[in-house]
Amino acid sequence: MSMLAHTDERPDGTGEEPPDTGTAAAREDRHRLTAVQGLAALSLDAMASVAYGPESIVLVLAAAGAHGLGCTLPVTLAIAALLAVLVASYRQVIAAFPDGGGSYAVAKRHLGRRTSLFTAASLVLDYVLNVAVSVTAGVAALTSAFPGLHDHRLWICLGVLALVTAVNLRGIAESAKAFIVPTAVFVGSILTMIVVGLFRDAPASTEAAAGHASVLSDNATSVGALLLLKAFAAGCSALTGVEAVANAVPSFRAPRARRAQRTEVALGALLGAMLIGLSVLIGRFHLQPVEGVTVLAQLADASLGHNWAFYVVQFATVVLLALAANTSFGGLPVLMSLLARDNYLPHVFALKADRQVHRHGVLALAAASTLLLVFSGGDVNTLVPLFAIGVFVGFTICQVGMVRHWRQERSPGSHGKALLNGFGAVLTGVSAIVVTATKFEEGAWLIVLTLPLMVLVLEAVHRAYARIGDRLELGRVPEAPRRCHSVVVVPVSSLSRLTSKALTAAVSLGDEVVAVTVAQPDGDGRRAAESLRRDWELWNPGVELVELPAATRALGRPIVDYVQELSGRHPDHRVTVLIPEVEPAHVWQRLLQNQRGAVVAHAVRRDTDAVICRLRFRVEARRG
């Protein structure tokens, strides 16, 4: 893969990829997302946030007593307004940046390299934390229903993560198909609960909260601006995942941007309706937070009664919380591929496997999430303080970047759009500051420390690629190729079919071929060298055999010394070391190999400039 950054802009300047009717393109398009599949694959994080977003607001406002809970709906309406601003903004981001990247792409174009790297680092952290938080929250809901599983929650978390990873390795379209039903059941049950609850004058049941202590404060009677601000910032956790669609635009079928925009709008509409509906029910039923029972469970009990419908809502919530990690698997690998394309991550993350899977990005995300789960012991409370800070940073930078975008474009209506994005930037920026300040001692300091460290790592990778590109003279016209005398050195230890194949390949590659064997200093080594010399003279392949004496039993050092001697005598010659190796029929048989080829290759690569060619001779399994 080229180390040079490139763009995928179309001649019309839109960057949109027109539909391709070719067979290969159609087959590739099958592994991309439709709008409905995009909603299932990329919105699980945002959808699942209705399980803890309203609860976060209620828990903060409970400090002001019953009077504080009366502000739940106004705070939620403010969050819904911010959601509308974000959806409108990211809809424009999708149109302006159809190659994906979301906040990173906006910052890269309009706010400079360092800001874009800070944005990318915050998004990477948010995606990884989303996986860990979603899985642990889902398993926590499961162990609440089945307390006997509590001691095994870490292994359950790892099992859920392995399942989500395996599904995503089959392709994002396959993961979308697998998660359409759970998403539909969850959204349908929440909307049904809201509609039924709106027609009730009194709770259908209060059994879920019976016997549990209220956490409502009896002292405070006034609601201050700081409390409202904290409630707003806490409730904004429901907005995590809104940016995922803009990050993963290349995962959609053509026309990519239009499908992604439809998905973004549908996500915003559903999420806003559920948040506002749940807040209305909280006020309608005068709900109070209690220990050990979620707000959503109380609402389901009050709206639907303590029956099978209640358990459908609970089960759907458990499943969707556990599967909400899929949003990260849809967005982060695409973001990592863009960073790799821009030389900020190893280029392997830009490679795609079959089914349009960024396999290395998926596996890297799974590995990082596994470490977090093991670190936290599967406890969601350990991870929640770290969550959502990164996404607010990304929101804010994206909004500021879009303000600059509209100021530069100066198209009709751009002034109003810039004001809208500026207002959104103020709201998300304040939220980021408040969340970081209130959660700093609970673990947010780790994010504050990790973000600049990640930026330094990204810059170090970029500098390394820049040095490599400079050595390779990328972007410059290289000198004309010229022919030089080629010497091929073939290490051998015995006569076999492998030796014959290696020499055949060597005489085809070079002007001069030399076979070398290392004579070990002990008696067995000398006898083996003498036996090989006699067999070689009888075979007479027309290639000189050179014995290299070894002072110790080291295998690579004598060959390195010989190659260095050749290069010193003939500096204008090209020296190639061709290492013959056996490729076993079965993977487990690699454990039986002596790894001589790897030892020689490592030594030659480390201490010489010789070209290394490892010739693998496949041993077919015996049939019959």
Side-chain angles (χ1 to χ4, degrees), residues 421-505:
N421 290 136
F423 178 64
V426 171
L427 291 181
T428 55
V430 169
S431 299
I433 294 171
V434 171
V435 171
T436 303
T438 56
K439 301 293 184 181
F440 189 82
E441 293 184 357
E442 299 178 38
W445 62 271
L446 279 172
I447 302 299
V448 176
L449 180 65
T450 304
L451 277 177
L453 289 177
M454 289 185 64
V455 172
L456 293 176
V457 170
L458 294 176
E459 290 187 323
V461 173
H462 192 269
R463 286 195 299 270
Y465 274 125
R467 288 193 296 268
I468 295 172
D470 185 62
R471 291 288 301 274
L472 295 177
E473 299 184 354
L474 292 176
R476 286 175 278 177
V477 178
E479 62 181 14
R482 58 185 178 84
R483 179 176 175 80
C484 62
H485 188 79
S486 176
V487 180
V488 181
V489 177
V490 184
V492 298
S493 58
S494 62
L495 289 188
S496 66
R497 187 180 176 191
L498 179 61
T499 308
S500 175
K501 290 281 187 181
L503 293 182
T504 300

Side-chain angles (χ1 to χ4, degrees), residues 9-33:
E9 295 292 331
R10 302 296 162 188
D12 59 2
T14 63
E16 185 61 82
E17 182 177 351
D20 191 333
T21 57
T23 303
R27 185 165 54 249
E28 179 179 301
D29 217 35
R30 267 205 320 273
H31 299 300
R32 298 183 188 275
L33 298 171

Side-chain angles (χ1 to χ4, degrees), residues 51-52 55 141 144 208-209 287-301 310 314 317 321:
Y52 50 79
E55 183 160 9
S144 297
L287 183 144
Q288 297 182 6
V290 298
E291 293 181 356
V293 181
T294 65
V295 168
L296 191 63
Q298 293 185 66
L299 290 176
D301 192 44
F310 169 82
Q314 292 304 102
T317 303
L321 276 170

Side-chain angles (χ1 to χ4, degrees), residues 545-559:
L545 176 65
V546 176
E547 292 183 17
L548 304 178
T552 64
R553 295 195 61 84
L555 179 64
R557 188 71 252 173
I559 297 176

